[in-house]
Amino acid sequence: MLMQTAAGKLMKVFLTRRIPPEGMKILSAAGVCEVSQWDSDEPVQRADLLKGVQGAHGLLCLLSDKIDAEVLDAAGPNLKVISTLSVGYDHLAIDEIKKRGILVGYTPDVLTDATAELTVALLLATARRLPEGVEEVKNGGWSSWKPLWLCGYGLSGSTVGVIGLGRIGMAIARRVMPFVVKRLLYSGRTAKDYAAEVNGEYVPLDTLVSESDFIVVSCSLTPETQGMCDKAFFSKMKNTGVFVNSSRGTVVNQEDLYEALSSGQIASAGLDVTTPEPLPTNHPLLTLKNCVVLPHIGSATYSTRGIMGALSAQNLLGGLQGTDMPSELTF
């Protein structure tokens, strides 16, 4: 896969991981770049990243790759574009990248539906105690029918609060409304006109936390939202409240969440994101029956990951060739 610079030299691209075949096919078919790749499904080691990126004109990375000044220095002045196979970009040193005039591509929108579906699945699994039920069947705990055994909480007639009614938050709201929820509350920086579609009520965060039966966090990670879900946050929730996070792990203070769950301050929690990732197997949260933890699989459908792979490749090629990038991050 060879692309010539104006001087006739080959342009180099470094991929920090194996990517979906849809993306590799696009890079191969384009016939415009020389690709080197960390040929593994596991994250590239830091030393290998610094070595692999040397002299690269393009870099295709993942959310788990910290792209900071050290990586940019290692790449050198040739680096024109960074394409990340993710919608999030808090792993990128944006200020440093901007300073150097490097283009950035990312993969928004394409994972919205898959992430919203997974979030609703996690909400239902947590509220209705599905993992506990599966475990009881396997370990012989299922005996006779008992009136209150494995009872949970239903969405019908409930109040659902969505923190961050952006693309994914709105997609979640659309999916919970057919469960005949009574009220849909949302909070964020501004009220959204499109919230009318789901009869969304824009309220202060404190109101959302205290009045919601189910709280879904789908906001971006910012200095304001980092650590937002802490002891004070959980103390305002209902004792029957169900908390779900599919945004970023660092939005939640996990020690405070553990205390809220183990003390009965809140009913249960479902997490698709944690700090760190992967969560150590001896983490206190994993000892709790009322905490459901998934391994960050919000976008994990075959079609979605394929589209993400294709889009990341198209962004990379656009940045290299000076043509349109389908999803360029604007600073």
Side-chain angles (χ1 to χ4, degrees):
M1 291 184 278
L2 307 176
M3 176 177 180
Q4 302 247 326
T5 64
K9 294 181 180 178
L10 301 177
M11 295 190 85
K12 176 186 174 183
V13 166
F14 181 62
L15 278 57
T16 65
R17 197 88 61 90
R18 291 177 190 146
I19 65 169
E22 290 87 344
M24 289 304 292
K25 284 176 187 173
I26 287 171
L27 293 178
S28 299
V32 295
C33 49
E34 179 184 11
V35 174
S36 60
Q37 180 185 42
W38 177 250
D39 192 19
S40 172
D41 289 326
E42 298 302 319
V44 62
Q45 298 298 310
R46 184 72 175 180
D48 294 304
L49 171 60
L50 294 172
K51 181 181 176 183
V53 80
Q54 287 175 13
H57 296 81
L59 171 64
L60 196 156
C61 63
L62 276 68
L63 197 62
S64 53
D65 304 316
K66 186 180 180 184
I67 308 302
D68 55 13
E70 184 184 23
V71 174
L72 301 178
D73 287 341
N78 286 343
L79 191 60
K80 297 169 66 175
V81 58
I82 297 169
S83 176
T84 182
L85 188 82
S86 63
V87 64
Y89 47 85
D90 40 279
H91 58 303
L92 306 179
I94 293 297
D95 289 343
E96 195 67 33
I97 290 166
K98 182 180 178 182
K99 190 193 305 180
R100 300 176 192 224
I102 298 167
L103 300 173
V104 175
Y106 68 135
T107 59
D109 299 325
V110 297
L111 49 67
T112 297
D113 287 338
T115 304
E117 288 172 5
L118 188 281
T119 304
V120 175
L122 178 57
L123 187 156
L124 291 168
T126 304
R128 294 297 301 271
R129 303 170 65 178
L130 301 194
E132 281 185 79
V134 170
E135 189 57 34
E136 290 293 282
V137 171
K138 290 181 176 180
N139 66 20
W142 182 17
S143 56
S144 62
W145 184 85
K146 308 178 189 76
L148 296 178
W149 187 55
L150 287 176
C151 283
Y153 299 95
L155 278 165
S156 179
S158 70
T159 296
V160 175
V162 179
I163 300 175
L165 200 72
R167 286 184 294 262
I168 294 173
M170 186 62 182
I172 293 166
R174 287 193 186 104
R175 284 161 174 76
V176 300
M177 290 308 287
F179 285 91
V180 202
V181 304
K182 188 176 181 180
R183 297 173 71 200
L184 193 292
L185 311 182
Y186 74 98
S187 66
R189 287 189 293 269
T190 58
K192 310 294 185 187
D193 292 340
Y194 52 75
E197 180 191 332
V198 290
N199 297 317
E201 302 173 40
Y202 181 59
V203 297
L205 181 61
D206 282 356
T207 302
L208 181 149
V209 173
S210 62
E211 296 186 8
S212 296
D213 300 297
F214 301 90
I215 295 175
V216 179
V217 183
S218 62
C219 59
S220 302
L221 178 62
T222 66
E224 293 75 33
T225 60
Q226 185 158 356
M228 170 182 67
C229 303
D230 57 9
K231 184 174 183 177
F233 179 102
F234 296 121
S235 70
K236 292 171 188 147
M237 282 182 62
K238 296 179 179 181
N239 289 10
T240 54
V242 175
F243 174 83
V244 172
N245 181 23
S246 59
S247 60
R248 285 288 177 268
T250 47
V251 170
V252 177
N253 182 313
Q254 290 177 172
E255 290 72 26
D256 291 349
L257 175 59
Y258 173 82
E259 183 59 33
L261 288 166
S262 59
S263 69
Q265 175 65 53
I266 69 173
S268 54
L271 310 173
D272 186 41
V273 287
T274 60
T275 307
E277 292 183 357
L279 197 65
T281 54
N282 63 351
H283 194 282
L285 284 174
L286 299 181
T287 67
L288 301 175
K289 287 186 176 181
N290 59 342
C291 188
V292 179
V293 181
L294 300 180
H296 201 156
I297 53 172
S299 64
T301 66
Y302 289 111
S303 61
T304 297
R305 292 287 169 84
I307 293 167
M308 288 173 70
L311 183 54
S312 64
Q314 290 161 351
N315 284 334
L316 189 71
L317 291 173
L320 286 173
Q321 297 173 298
T323 56
D324 282 346
M325 295 169 64
S327 292
E328 181 180 354
L329 182 64
T330 53
F331 304 118

